[in-house]
Amino acid sequence: MTVGDHTKSDDPRIRVDLTHLRGFERHARSISFLPKQPALSALNGRHASRLRGRGLNFEELRNYQHGDDIRTIDWKVTARTGEPYVRVYTEERDRPALLLVDQRMSMFFGTSRNMKSVTAAEAAALAAWRLRLQGDRVGGLIFGDARVAELPPRASGVALNRFLSVLADANGLLDSGLEVPEPMSLNQQLEAAVRIAKTGMMILIFSDFHGVDARSDKLIRRLTQHNDVLAFPITDPAGRDLPDEFRLIASDGRLQVDLDTAKEDTRVQIADLFDKRIGRVLDWSRKYGVPVLPLTSAEETLPQMLSLFGARGRG
């Protein structure tokens, strides 16, 4: 179904509700955002080493015991007392995470299975559940063309439910007849993330990255200096390879475009725009070490996420 369909629907491939997003809780333990990753995870190796994990809190000094890592020895205390002492740390249990979830009109499009907006919402919900289950604080920037919800990271079930509720509401507002005065800029949300994220935060971006440009590169670079950034580009097969003799009417809520792919130059221009957008996102991996985890709206979200994180599906 494409943006040209104005009909409201309870089909979760077109719009999701809170109950649907809550349903991802039972699958959340199958994925992980910690540095240690399964062998088949897309985050394994170089990308896993980029994940800082949670910080460490100093807990106590105690006598050295056989088998302790010598790197934990406190040499000053050892020299002062004449006996070896080690510093004991515990892992922080509430690392802040910020999920940027794109629910703009450019995301209200799908030709095979889901709307891109649905794939983004489902993937973000699964990630939010997992982050909360591993003890992290969950917050978000959920943005459409007309409104933005800024949710500070909080470590509670209430905060997670609030995140999912706002996400479901934003998704439910999408409609092909929606008119907005000015489409929301992706850079506005990246700038907000720069303002919010100080250091040691995990930032996950679920978007088709419509509007990405040179300014986006600079903002991503700033975010990666002291935080972990993961990019989840959401694509639809028709975003690049439209079939011949295919006519598409699409809208961003303000302007409507009639694309006739019987014209070869139209197909070439669309493919070129798609390649440049995704190419810029992929370049972040090379320049800044950003893990890029692609998702397609043509397939179910859950199996894709499980596959990306080296996990198997569970019933």
Side-chain angles (χ1 to χ4, degrees):
M1 183 173 293
T2 65
V3 174
D5 192 323
H6 290 252
T7 307
K8 288 286 186 181
S9 174
D10 293 328
D11 190 334
R13 295 173 299 177
I14 300 172
R15 292 179 186 83
V16 294
D17 58 21
L18 180 57
T19 299
H20 181 77
L21 298 182
R22 283 173 172 167
F24 286 94
E25 178 184 11
R26 66 192 181 99
H27 302 285
R29 293 189 184 279
S30 298
I31 67 174
S32 173
F33 293 104
L34 298 176
K36 186 177 181 181
Q37 291 287 322
L40 297 178
S41 171
L43 290 179
N44 196 23
R46 180 172 68 94
H47 283 148
S49 67
R50 292 282 304 183
L51 298 182
R52 295 170 175 83
R54 303 185 195 89
L56 298 176
N57 289 322
F58 172 70
E59 186 173 277
E60 65 175 345
L61 279 170
R62 64 165 171 78
N63 289 101
Y64 176 85
Q65 299 175 7
H66 179 69
D68 283 342
D69 189 336
I70 61 172
R71 291 175 296 181
T72 63
I73 294 177
D74 188 313
W75 296 106
K76 289 184 179 180
V77 175
T78 298
R80 187 171 64 249
T81 63
E83 296 181 4
Y85 274 81
V86 296
R87 298 176 68 88
V88 179
Y89 295 86
T90 55
E91 190 177 46
E92 291 176 342
R93 299 300 298 171
D94 61 348
R95 184 188 188 194
L98 189 71
L99 284 69
L100 280 65
V101 192
D102 191 343
Q103 295 290 287
R104 296 176 294 173
M105 278 301 298
S106 68
M107 297 287 288
F108 195 58
F109 178 84
T111 59
S112 299
R113 181 180 175 83
N114 287 346
M115 293 295 196
K116 291 188 293 182
S117 51
V118 166
T119 298
E122 291 180 336
L126 183 61
W129 276 114
R130 180 53 183 146
L131 289 164
R132 183 68 203 105
L133 287 171
Q134 68 187 37
D136 292 332
R137 286 175 276 163
V138 176
L141 286 167
I142 301 171
F143 58 102
D145 285 302
R147 63 175 69 180
V148 179
E150 185 176 311
L151 306 173
R154 296 283 187 269
S156 72
V158 172
L160 174 59
N161 191 69
R162 173 65 175 161
F163 172 84
L164 297 174
S165 179
V166 171
L167 179 54
D169 288 346
N171 184 265
L173 288 174
L174 287 170
D175 185 89
S176 57
L178 182 67
E179 295 185 6
V180 294
E182 186 70 28
M184 182 70 69
S185 163
L186 175 64
N187 286 343
Q188 288 178 263
Q189 306 314 310
L190 295 179
E191 287 166 357
V194 169
R195 169 175 52 81
I196 296 169
K198 304 304 179 184
T199 185
M201 183 175 282
M202 178 169 282
I203 301 168
L204 299 87
I205 309 172
F206 302 86
S207 175
D208 62 359
F209 292 94
H210 175 71
V212 66
D213 58 18
R215 173 63 177 161
S216 310
D217 288 357
K218 295 178 180 178
L219 292 168
I220 290 294
R221 180 177 59 80
R222 290 180 62 185
L223 286 170
T224 57
Q225 286 176 340
H226 302 291
N227 304 282
D228 292 330
V229 178
L230 284 73
F232 293 82
I234 316 294
T235 61
D236 184 271
R240 189 191 190 285
D241 300 315
L242 289 172
D244 295 347
E245 307 295 333
F246 181 77
R247 191 169 184 180
L248 173 69
I249 299 176
S251 171
D252 65 0
R254 186 171 58 101
L255 301 175
Q256 183 167 293
V257 177
D258 189 347
L259 299 175
D260 186 357
T261 63
K263 301 176 181 179
E264 183 178 358
D265 61 337
T266 299
R267 296 196 305 274
V268 171
Q269 289 176 28
I270 291 172
D272 186 55
L273 286 171
F274 178 89
D275 290 343
K276 285 182 177 178
R277 180 194 305 177
I278 298 302
R280 191 179 287 273
V281 175
L282 291 173
D283 205 34
W284 295 343
S285 179
R286 180 184 63 82
K287 293 192 295 187
Y288 312 126
V290 173
V292 177
L293 306 167
L295 295 168
T296 174
S297 62
E299 301 174 14
E300 288 185 60
T301 307
L302 178 60
Q304 292 184 78
M305 288 287 282
L306 294 176
S307 177
L308 285 171
F309 290 94
R312 294 182 178 180
R314 296 174 182 174

